[in-house]
Amino acid sequence: MSKQTYSVCFCWRRRFKLALAEAPSEIKTLFEEYSENEIMTPSHLKRFLVEVQKQEKATEEEAQAIIDSFRHFHRRGVGLNLESFFKYLFSDDNPPLLPSHGVYHDMTFPLSHYFIYTGHNSYLTGNQLSSECSDVPIINALKRGVRVIELDIWPNAAKDNINVLHGNTLTPPVELIRCLRSIKEYAFVASEYPVVITLEDHLTPDLQAKVAEMVANTFGDILFTPNTESVKEFPSPDSLKRRIIISTKPPKEYLGGKEKDKGDDSQHEKGKEDGKASGEDEAWGKEVPSLRGGTIEDYKDNNVDEEDLNDDDESDESDKLPHNVAPEYRRLIAIHAGKPKGGLEECLKVDPDKVRRLSLSEQQLEKAAINHGKQIVRFTQRNILRVYPKGTRIDSSNYNPLIGWMHGAQMVAFNMQGYGRSLWLMHGMFRANGGCGYVKKPDFLLETGGSDNEVFDPKAKLPVKTTLKVTVYMGEGWYYDFKHTHFDQYSPPDFYTRVGIAGVPSDTVMKKTKPIEDNWLPTWNETFEFPLSVPELALLRIEVHEYDMSEKDDFGGQTCLPIRELRSGIRAIPLNSQKGEKYPSVKLLMRFEFIN
């Protein structure tokens, strides 16, 4: 035990004792139950792993390996004492997700059967209006496992080359060739599964031909090009390992100065009030908009008519194309995008002989979901739906991704360059399936039938399938990762934990523990229960706050975990920074139990 000193009013100093981490009472009780003579032998530890941790296939050999790894915490090598048992539970060797799982989903189904880790305006370093365009955020996204990179391509000032930039804004451009070369270099660093490049094309036919040459020369044999212009079914991720795929609308006649900027950027002049976060938002990002009641409150003042579905540059029928387009550019397109004329009903029609990609803004999807939820699900069973942020998100904030996922949308496109609660949900979803960037959609979103009644209804009130019981024991590590005055100038921090569910509306909830005053090693020992009707889409949200009476509560760490991969038992939960980077030491000790 040591002491820490804080200055108060320049006149006197307060001293606080710093205790060593001690096992909570329930951990002590479990140790007594699964040990003998204060030693947990391999057979005792195996029984604990099977009965408490629900690791039904655990062996004594595995238990012995754990004991050997923590031998340095005790003198007797025959087993674990209480200290080494506690150290094991609180270690990186006891994570909440099974590290050995790797990629375990069946990857042989069509691409339309998977949620895909998708970026929006992947080249921007910051806000949507004035930040620099660069290949650096593209590299960072690929390193994280993002599988869909979006590039907006425009003629340069001399009209003889191609730049990537956010059109009709002040964003300084980056050359397309630099982005392509970086994609090639980093595409498969984090995952061997295919990378899709979505192009927003604002080029003349001669520059389209130049893009085709650049793409072909850069990617060579790893570029996937289909044999026919339209395909009946998308290939599988497994068949496309280490391949690059181009997705865009079929090229149309160049409109020069009349070219309209893409639909998600047509409202830059609106929403400038969204550009500056305030108070708590600066540390946490805005709370994820609720999906309760069938609409998102954050969108209630944004009316989107069905006619708006044709307001972007994907609204051209391929059979009306002019003949002066670059044929080599057309041949690059493996996933065709576009919005048919005729409004929402036409957009959601399923062609049995052809698959395609449809893009909707978050507002358009929200509007469509009110009366056409099951049609959207049916569309996404064979076709790909991309959802992108509304144009007023000039601060590069994001929306609730569950609105897309619960309707089967594969490409829920996010601004990856920022941070905030919505982005943490995206990070959490794609921790699943070994972090490969592809997560198999739940079977209920893929079940087809002869009538709409046999398709999943996102609005249906469903019975509870299981209840997740969460116990928050304690936390540690802030003392090592932060300065002692980071949270409070005058005393140690007062931490509390928020824990809850992001999922379908009926499952979504947040709860919190009481704050523990003046303690770098807070022990809460509080239990919460979360009934889950759709656990397959649910994410466990965990945030640690430092309570402050006079100001906004401080950020103490966060993580989101996919519940369908959550391990039962007592687990060590590493926490991350606002940008999703793992802290060296900060973690929580928690217990997860599934009650059927």
Side-chain angles (χ1 to χ4, degrees):
M1 185 176 293
S2 60
K3 294 183 179 180
Q4 197 172 65
T5 302
Y6 291 81
S7 297
V8 181
C9 299
F10 305 103
C11 305
W12 54 286
R13 302 171 75 83
R14 302 174 68 192
R15 303 184 77 187
F16 294 87
K17 292 181 179 180
L18 293 173
L20 295 173
E22 183 180 348
S25 57
E26 185 174 335
I27 304 301
K28 293 178 180 178
T29 300
L30 284 169
F31 180 77
E32 292 174 3
E33 182 180 346
Y34 289 91
S35 65
E36 188 174 349
N37 299 323
E38 299 185 350
I39 291 295
M40 184 179 281
T41 66
S43 61
H44 292 136
L45 180 55
K46 176 199 168 185
R47 190 162 64 89
F48 170 81
L49 294 175
V50 171
E51 295 177 7
V52 177
Q53 305 294 77
K54 305 303 179 185
Q55 297 171 218
E56 298 175 357
K57 297 181 180 179
T59 64
E60 284 198 24
E61 289 75 17
E62 292 171 342
Q64 183 64 61
I66 293 170
I67 291 170
D68 292 342
S69 297
F70 289 85
R71 189 185 301 274
H72 56 288
F73 287 106
H74 56 98
R75 281 177 281 181
R76 298 171 62 184
V78 294
L80 300 176
N81 60 14
L82 175 60
E83 179 190 3
S84 53
F85 175 62
F86 176 52
K87 290 287 186 184
Y88 160 65
L89 290 178
F90 224 151
S91 74
D92 291 336
D93 295 325
N94 185 35
L97 306 179
L98 194 61
S100 61
H101 255 165
V103 177
Y104 73 99
H105 295 179
D106 188 339
M107 305 298 282
T108 62
F109 290 92
L111 290 174
S112 55
H113 287 224
Y114 301 85
F115 298 130
I116 309 174
Y117 209 172
T118 302
H120 173 256
N121 289 349
S122 305
Y123 49 87
L124 288 179
T125 56
N127 70 65
Q128 302 286 309
L129 294 183
S130 60
S131 68
E132 185 178 354
C133 300
S134 169
D135 62 333
V136 172
I138 295 172
I139 293 169
N140 292 337
L142 291 170
K143 285 181 176 179
R144 184 176 279 279
V146 172
R147 298 290 86 191
V148 182
I149 300 295
E150 183 187 28
L151 303 177
D152 292 62
I153 50 179
W154 293 79
N156 66 353
K159 309 295 184 184
D160 61 356
N161 209 337
I162 302 99
N163 282 336
V164 173
L165 75 153
H166 200 195
N168 300 328
T169 68
L170 300 176
T171 55
V174 60
E175 288 188 347
L176 172 63
I177 189 62
R178 182 171 177 177
C179 296
L180 296 179
R181 287 170 177 165
S182 293
I183 291 172
K184 181 182 181 182
E185 183 176 355
Y186 291 94
F188 307 111
V189 168
S191 169
E192 63 181 346
Y193 287 94
V195 167
V196 180
I197 303 174
T198 59
L199 298 176
E200 290 291 351
D201 170 12
H202 306 274
L203 302 177
T204 56
D206 60 318
L207 289 180
Q208 289 173 347
K210 192 162 187 174
V211 169
E213 183 181 4
M214 280 186 190
V215 169
N217 290 341
T218 302
F219 297 120
D221 292 341
I222 68 171
L223 181 67
F224 173 74
T225 51
N227 296 325
T228 58
E229 185 170 312
S230 62
V231 293
K232 192 170 184 178
E233 186 176 72
F234 290 117
S236 70
D238 196 59
S239 70
L240 294 170
K241 282 183 179 178
R242 306 190 71 84
R243 303 296 293 273
I244 301 291
I245 303 169
I246 302 298
S247 177
T248 185
K249 66 186 184 305
K252 62 180 180 179
E253 185 174 12
Y254 179 63
L255 300 179
K258 297 180 181 179
E259 182 74 46
K260 181 180 174 65
D261 194 14
K262 65 181 183 180
D264 53 325
D265 304 314
S266 61
Q267 302 183 56
H268 290 316
E269 69 281 1
K270 301 179 184 178
K272 291 187 179 180
E273 68 279 1
D274 292 343
K276 181 174 176 59
S278 61
E280 184 183 0
D281 294 340
E282 293 179 359
W284 297 93
K286 294 179 181 178
E287 183 53 78
V288 179
S290 173
L291 299 179
R292 291 183 183 275
T295 60
I296 300 177
E297 290 182 6
D298 191 41
Y299 309 155
K300 63 186 178 183
D301 296 325
N302 297 302
N303 296 315
V304 181
D305 297 327
E306 285 195 13
E307 288 75 12
D308 293 340
L309 292 169
N310 290 324
D311 276 352
D312 66 41
D313 63 355
E314 285 188 2
S315 59
D316 291 279
E317 291 278 20
S318 59
D319 59 0
K320 297 178 182 178
L321 294 172
H323 298 291
N324 62 339
V325 298
E328 57 270 55
Y329 183 78
R330 281 187 77 95
R331 286 194 291 268
L332 293 178
I333 305 171
I335 300 176
H336 283 236
K339 289 190 177 84
K341 297 288 187 183
L344 185 60
E345 293 288 349
E346 287 297 319
C347 284
L348 295 176
K349 277 188 177 178
V350 177
D351 188 334
D353 298 317
K354 184 170 65 174
V355 291
R356 58 190 169 93
R357 171 171 71 84
L358 172 68
S359 288
L360 298 176
S361 72
E362 55 175 293
Q363 295 162 296
Q364 290 168 348
L365 177 62
E366 173 67 15
K367 178 79 172 180
I370 295 173
N371 296 314
H372 301 278
K374 289 193 289 185
Q375 289 94 318
I376 299 171
V377 172
R378 184 178 290 281
F379 177 84
T380 59
Q381 289 175 342
R382 281 179 36 80
N383 300 281
I384 290 176
L385 176 60
R386 172 180 168 268
V387 185
Y388 56 84
K390 60 184 178 181
T392 54
R393 294 191 182 276
I394 59 176
D395 59 348
S396 293
S397 62
N398 289 297
Y399 49 101
N400 188 337
L402 270 301
I403 184 66
W405 292 333
M406 64 192 281
H407 288 87
Q410 297 85 353
M411 296 182 179
V412 177
F414 260 38
N415 295 307
M416 300 291 177
Q417 67 272 33
Y419 57 86
R421 288 178 165 118
S422 294
L423 185 56
W424 301 339
L425 297 186
M426 182 68 64
H427 292 166
M429 168 63 84
F430 288 100
R431 286 189 175 99
N433 199 26
C436 75
Y438 286 81
V439 173
K440 182 79 162 50
K441 293 200 287 188
D443 288 343
F444 62 79
L445 285 172
L446 298 168
E447 292 168 354
T448 58
S451 68
D452 279 347
N453 292 330
E454 297 175 75
V455 175
F456 174 71
D457 184 357
K459 283 188 170 184
K461 298 288 185 182
L462 299 173
V464 172
K465 282 187 180 180
T466 187
T467 296
L468 174 63
K469 183 179 178 182
V470 176
T471 301
V472 186
Y473 290 122
M474 63 179 296
E476 70 168 11
W478 295 278
Y479 178 76
Y480 302 105
D481 293 348
F482 295 88
K483 293 181 179 179
H484 81 286
T485 56
H486 175 86
F487 296 103
D488 196 316
Q489 291 287 328
Y490 310 115
S491 65
D494 307 327
F495 288 124
Y496 66 95
T497 297
R498 294 182 75 226
V499 59
I501 303 296
V504 298
S506 60
D507 293 348
T508 300
V509 67
M510 287 298 286
K511 302 179 181 182
K512 65 180 180 180
T513 69
K514 62 183 180 296
I516 304 298
E517 293 185 1
D518 299 336
N519 202 321
W520 287 99
L521 291 166
T523 298
W524 297 284
N525 285 326
E526 294 192 42
T527 299
F528 307 96
E529 292 191 0
F530 302 102
L532 301 173
S533 58
V534 188
E536 299 90 341
L537 291 179
L539 297 164
L540 180 66
R541 292 181 56 190
I542 301 168
E543 300 176 355
V544 174
H545 298 236
E546 197 276 328
Y547 176 73
D548 195 319
M549 290 183 61
S550 59
E551 300 177 358
K552 293 287 186 181
D553 292 353
D554 292 320
F555 178 89
Q558 60 81 23
T559 193
C560 289
L561 302 170
I563 283 177
R564 60 173 166 172
E565 292 198 8
L566 195 63
R567 304 169 80 193
S568 295
I570 300 166
R571 305 295 175 186
I573 316 300
L575 297 187
N576 306 307
S577 69
Q578 294 100 318
K579 293 188 177 181
E581 297 163 355
K582 182 178 176 292
Y583 285 127
S585 309
V586 177
K587 61 183 71 169
L588 300 178
L589 188 67
M590 304 177 71
R591 184 173 184 176
F592 309 119
E593 301 169 85
F594 288 95
I595 305 168
N596 294 325

